Amino acid sequence: MLLSGSSVVVASAISSACVAASSAGRSSSLQLECVRRSLSLVGIGCEGNRRFVGSRPELLGSRLLERASGVARVSAGQTSSGSDASQGLAIFYNYALAFNPAKSRLALEEKNIKYVETKIDLFNGQSLEPWYLRLNPSASAPTLVVGDEKITESVEIIRWADRQGAPLGGDSVDRAFVDEWLNKVDAWDGNLFAAANSPAGAALKYSTEYKFKVAEANAKRNPDMAELYKEKISTLKKNYIDEPNDEAVCDANRQQLRVLLDEAETRLATNKFLAGPAYSAADAIFTPVIYRIYLLKKDGEYLSSRPNIKRYYEEIKKRPSYKKVFSVSDSALASAGEVLPAVGQVLFATLTGKY
């Protein structure tokens, strides 16, 4: 699920145009014209960017696909080749605009753990490729690979990071609360919250239906994994089509969030951070929750009556880890750079039928 507000706008505009043209049985050229106009609505694809949108679908696909490949970066920031991953560094499969990877990456950054960051695109179906599905059967991000160990849940990556050396906050924080809080926040589905409260419903539906086709095509090419792909299609449908349209499920999700916020507000009345006077893993897993509330412009509903959380969040935003983890999401240009190549790949596959 995308995390950046600007990327939601881009994806929504583009996918809405594609769905409209497709459902009307229009030609490929009209679909491309819809994309061009959608891009212009968000300030992308104007005169200076004509190279991204041409009259031929193969041109659109090839130009955008040049930027769609995964990039591995060492956590210190410099570009890295894949060979660096074999030199004893942890490998972190990340999508910069997603909710769950942000939790674990905050912990990695706070612990100053050096790792190789490798992009796994959740928008264009890259996470459904056989090699990644074998690595992470849920076809999600994040995934952390450390030697022979692979960790595929964000909360477990946080726990792993906290075990490397002294834990965040040391003896000054309530360790029992940290462990309990990790479980509570992990149990809340931030992706469901976004799906149920985002204006980009067309983008989500279009992206999910595209992933169905990617999974079906991969299942045909890899019959030994057919059952795994079948399960993944069922999970995608449940998570991104059925549950966001089930009002009872969405109400329960919102109530679960309110309970978390109430507990955090009470603790922050007497503590600088959630578990005490120092930053801990509890803060790492909770920060993306608040970020998502602001992203969806729900802060008036959920935070106006919780001033302690608002004060706390202003302090959290000053930390280097926060700035590094959310730098792409906070930049319209950087977010577009993440989304547009994937959109080009999705459109190219849709037009050609090659998934």
Side-chain angles (χ1 to χ4, degrees):
M1 172 64 68
L2 299 182
L3 202 150
S4 164
S6 52
S7 66
V8 167
V9 173
V10 172
S12 180
I14 293 172
S15 65
S16 295
C18 292
V19 170
S22 176
S23 62
R26 307 289 180 83
S27 66
S28 297
S29 61
L30 181 55
Q31 285 184 303
L32 290 170
E33 178 61 24
C34 289
V35 172
R36 181 183 291 111
R37 292 184 181 182
S38 299
L39 291 171
S40 69
L41 289 174
V42 292
I44 302 166
C46 302
E47 292 298 319
N49 285 323
R50 279 185 176 172
R51 64 186 181 277
F52 290 119
V53 183
S55 59
R56 295 176 295 158
E58 65 270 22
L59 177 62
L60 172 70
S62 63
R63 293 292 172 82
L64 286 176
L65 285 173
E66 289 174 2
R67 300 175 58 193
S69 58
V71 176
R73 290 182 291 271
V74 175
S75 55
Q78 68 269 30
T79 300
S80 165
S81 67
S83 61
D84 292 315
S86 63
Q87 297 178 4
L89 296 177
I91 308 169
F92 183 63
Y93 292 90
N94 180 41
Y95 187 57
L97 305 179
F99 175 66
N100 286 317
K103 303 174 189 174
S104 43
R105 192 178 177 207
L106 282 168
L108 293 171
E109 292 294 332
E110 286 286 344
K111 290 299 298 283
N112 294 312
I113 294 171
K114 196 172 184 182
Y115 58 91
V116 174
E117 179 191 1
T118 299
K119 176 181 176 180
I120 188 73
D121 201 310
L122 301 180
F123 189 92
N124 68 6
Q126 185 186 17
S127 62
L128 290 165
E129 292 181 7
W131 70 269
Y132 189 74
L133 201 60
R134 290 188 177 98
L135 184 67
N136 184 336
S138 68
S140 62
T143 300
L144 185 73
V145 178
V146 188
D148 295 331
E149 183 180 10
K150 60 179 180 181
I151 311 171
T152 60
E153 297 291 338
S154 57
V155 68
E156 295 307 324
I157 294 174
I158 293 172
R159 287 193 167 104
W160 175 89
D162 217 28
R163 290 196 299 269
Q164 310 311 303
L168 289 170
D171 294 334
S172 69
V173 300
D174 184 339
R175 312 266 6 132
F177 166 79
V178 170
D179 189 60
E180 179 185 3
W181 188 250
L182 289 177
N183 291 331
K184 286 182 179 180
V185 177
D186 181 58
W188 179 69
D189 191 342
N191 289 328
L192 172 60
F193 182 74
N197 294 278
S198 170
L204 182 61
K205 184 174 185 292
Y206 185 75
S207 173
T208 302
E209 290 175 348
Y210 166 78
K211 290 177 185 178
F212 290 166
K213 295 177 182 178
V214 171
E216 289 165 356
N218 279 322
K220 290 180 181 178
R221 288 190 289 265
N222 302 272
D224 60 311
M225 301 177 69
E227 282 302 312
L228 189 55
Y229 278 111
K230 183 178 178 181
E231 291 174 12
K232 187 57 190 174
I233 291 171
S234 177
T235 300
L236 283 169
K237 182 176 182 297
K238 171 179 175 288
N239 291 346
Y240 297 116
I241 294 181
D242 295 343
E243 289 191 345
N245 292 299
D246 187 324
E247 195 56 36
V249 171
C250 294
D251 282 344
N253 175 266
R254 287 187 282 264
Q255 180 57 29
Q256 189 178 5
L257 174 60
R258 293 187 189 98
V259 171
L260 285 174
L261 295 174
D262 284 342
E263 183 172 358
E265 179 70 8
T266 299
R267 293 192 64 87
L268 291 170
T270 54
N271 294 321
K272 182 178 181 180
F273 296 98
L274 286 168
Y279 187 101
S280 72
D283 303 295
I285 199 170
F286 189 57
T287 297
V289 174
I290 312 176
Y291 186 94
R292 175 142 291 192
I293 291 172
Y294 276 102
L295 169 70
L296 296 170
K297 302 186 185 306
K298 294 294 182 179
D299 48 298
E301 179 180 351
Y302 289 94
L303 300 180
S304 62
S305 62
R306 298 178 173 97
N308 295 324
I309 293 180
K310 295 178 72 172
R311 181 269 309 162
Y312 159 83
Y313 189 55
E314 289 304 313
E315 288 299 315
I316 288 289
K317 289 194 294 184
K318 298 174 184 177
R319 301 182 73 84
S321 63
Y322 178 98
K323 295 175 182 178
K324 187 165 186 178
V325 170
F326 297 111
S327 61
V328 173
S329 301
D330 284 339
S331 165
L333 184 60
S335 295
E338 288 286 318
V339 174
L340 287 179
V343 170
Q345 185 172 346
V346 170
L347 181 60
F348 183 61
T350 301
L351 297 178
T352 62
K354 296 178 180 179
Y355 298 94

